[in-house]
Amino acid sequence: MQILVTGGAGFIGGHLAERFVREGHDVVALDAMHPYYDLGIKEHTVEVCREASASSEAGGYEFVEGDVRDADLVSDLVSDAQFVYHQAGRAGVRDSVSDPRVYDEVNVDGTLNLLDAARASDVERVVMASSSSVYGKPQYLPYDEQHPTTPVSPYGASKLAAERYGCAYSEVYDLPFVGLRYFTVYGPRMRPNMAISNFVSRCMNGESPIIYGDGTQTRDFTYVDDVVEANLALMETGAADGEAVNVGSTDNIEIRELAAVVRDEIAPDLEFEFADRHDADAEHTHADTSKASVLLGYEPDHTIREGVAKFIEWYEQNRGWYEPLVLAS
């Protein structure tokens, strides 16, 4: 298969690109290399994918530095693709509060560029990275896909708008499109400004984990390998076309308990530090993945504790290159 992965040097996009290459598909990875965090992590991801493609049984890999706001570039790349995995987007709830317009430009207009290119080409399916941030304040938990979508941040609003455009294009233009609503994805090469990477890096260096708020907020953290499996399923089935689908762990945990899990594994004598919680941060997230189970056969393999243990092991093995970039961000 010829696969285009936008945001292909990023965290989830990089894992998708690597997996596709290892399974023999030809991948083009498009990424703007925006310095939201240390670009060394993205550069390492590109090298991992290039090394994966060197195997005799692997597929080809090409990296293209460019922006989804460049409609001509997007059109050229989409025209050669059979599947498009749209992972590109400006990330971060807090930063979206200070600069909402750029989130609209990248996450909404950039997605429209891709959708327009896809409907003009012979694309078999567009799979977009949406977010649990589309739900906003919970009226009930766990969130199912029928829960009202009332995002409380510009980031969440931009992901909802992009997702809704994709579903509308599926209805009006018969473009196969699926929006996957990710719930706080983590794992190897994750962004350094996430709770788990912060907790692990601080504990590794003998520094107390910092908890924002009182720590009673809960999250449904999803291990990246489970997210990859959900995406892979969409190469085989059109059952979810035109739909938005939750991808989570079905497990959730209080932030202070998560900090304790990490601390107790690495440096049990450390005390916690507390700081002010940001208003745009969600209070609780918890995914109902029944729809993904029915449509995609999705069954997450990792509990939060299992996934965190795997990440800590990976961190220790890759500390030499990863930790300096985490601490610099």
Side-chain angles (χ1 to χ4, degrees):
M1 295 289 186
Q2 301 285 334
I3 302 175
L4 171 64
V5 181
T6 70
F11 170 41
I12 300 173
H15 278 274
L16 288 174
E18 180 187 358
R19 180 68 174 274
F20 293 148
V21 167
R22 292 190 186 279
E23 296 203 351
H25 303 294
D26 294 324
V27 173
V28 174
L30 172 67
D31 201 290
M33 302 299 278
H34 176 72
Y36 180 62
Y37 54 89
D38 197 303
L39 289 179
I41 298 175
K42 288 192 171 189
E43 291 164 356
H44 186 86
T45 294
V46 172
E47 287 306 310
V48 167
C49 292
R50 285 176 174 154
E51 290 172 4
S53 72
S55 168
S56 60
E57 297 181 356
Y61 176 79
E62 179 185 359
F63 174 71
V64 177
E65 185 170 349
D67 199 306
V68 290
R69 289 173 290 184
D70 184 340
D72 291 337
L73 174 61
V74 168
S75 181
D76 287 344
L77 296 178
V78 169
S79 67
D80 294 326
Q82 293 169 275
F83 285 85
V84 177
Y85 283 83
H86 180 38
Q87 309 299 302
R90 192 60 61 89
V93 167
R94 297 177 187 180
D95 283 0
S96 76
V97 174
S98 60
D99 193 5
R101 286 191 175 274
V102 73
Y103 282 75
D104 181 76
E105 293 167 6
V106 177
N107 295 355
V108 183
D109 290 343
T111 299
L112 281 170
N113 285 339
L114 187 140
L115 292 171
D116 283 336
R119 73 182 180 95
S121 302
D122 192 22
V123 171
E124 292 188 31
R125 183 161 297 107
V126 175
V127 181
M128 176 194 142
S130 187
S131 169
S132 61
S133 294
V134 304
Y135 291 116
K137 295 179 179 179
Q139 294 188 13
Y140 56 85
L141 290 172
Y143 291 118
D144 58 27
E145 290 82 356
Q146 300 305 310
H147 188 284
T149 48
T150 54
V152 296
S153 68
Y155 169 75
S158 71
K159 296 302 280 188
L160 180 60
E163 173 196 292
R164 292 297 87 197
Y165 270 121
C167 291
Y169 271 52
S170 184
E171 179 71 24
V172 175
Y173 303 116
D174 200 28
L175 172 66
F177 170 91
V178 180
L180 296 181
R181 292 175 175 171
Y182 299 150
F183 281 70
T184 316
V185 186
Y186 69 101
R189 304 195 302 269
M190 69 188 295
R191 292 198 335 247
N193 60 344
M194 302 294 285
I196 292 173
S197 51
N198 272 327
F199 292 161
V200 172
S201 64
R202 291 184 68 85
C203 289
M204 286 277 188
N205 288 281
E207 299 177 359
S208 297
I210 298 176
I211 297 171
Y212 293 94
D214 63 5
T216 59
Q217 312 96 295
T218 60
R219 291 289 181 275
D220 189 325
F221 289 97
T222 313
Y223 195 67
V224 68
D225 288 356
D226 291 333
V227 168
V228 170
E229 292 300 326
N231 279 274
L232 281 170
L234 289 166
M235 295 185 70
E236 306 296 335
T237 180
D241 286 349
E243 301 284 345
V245 182
N246 289 341
V247 176
S249 70
T250 73
D251 190 12
N252 74 340
I253 191 171
E254 285 191 346
I255 296 297
R256 62 187 180 186
E257 184 178 352
L258 172 66
V261 168
V262 172
R263 179 199 60 188
D264 293 348
E265 179 76 18
I266 301 170
D269 293 334
L270 291 175
E271 299 292 334
F272 296 147
E273 292 183 14
F274 292 85
D276 290 340
R277 175 174 166 265
H278 197 282
D279 289 341
D281 290 344
E283 185 72 23
H284 302 287
T285 67
H286 189 193
D288 180 334
T289 60
S290 302
K291 186 174 181 180
S293 178
V294 170
L295 297 181
L296 308 179
Y298 174 71
E299 297 295 340
D301 286 336
H302 300 81
T303 67
I304 292 169
R305 289 160 183 80
E306 291 168 343
V308 167
K310 288 183 70 170
F311 177 69
I312 291 172
E313 180 181 5
W314 177 88
Y315 190 109
E316 290 174 329
Q317 294 171 352
N318 292 271
R319 191 174 181 181
W321 73 267
Y322 182 68
E323 184 171 81
L325 303 182
V326 171
L327 298 178
S329 296

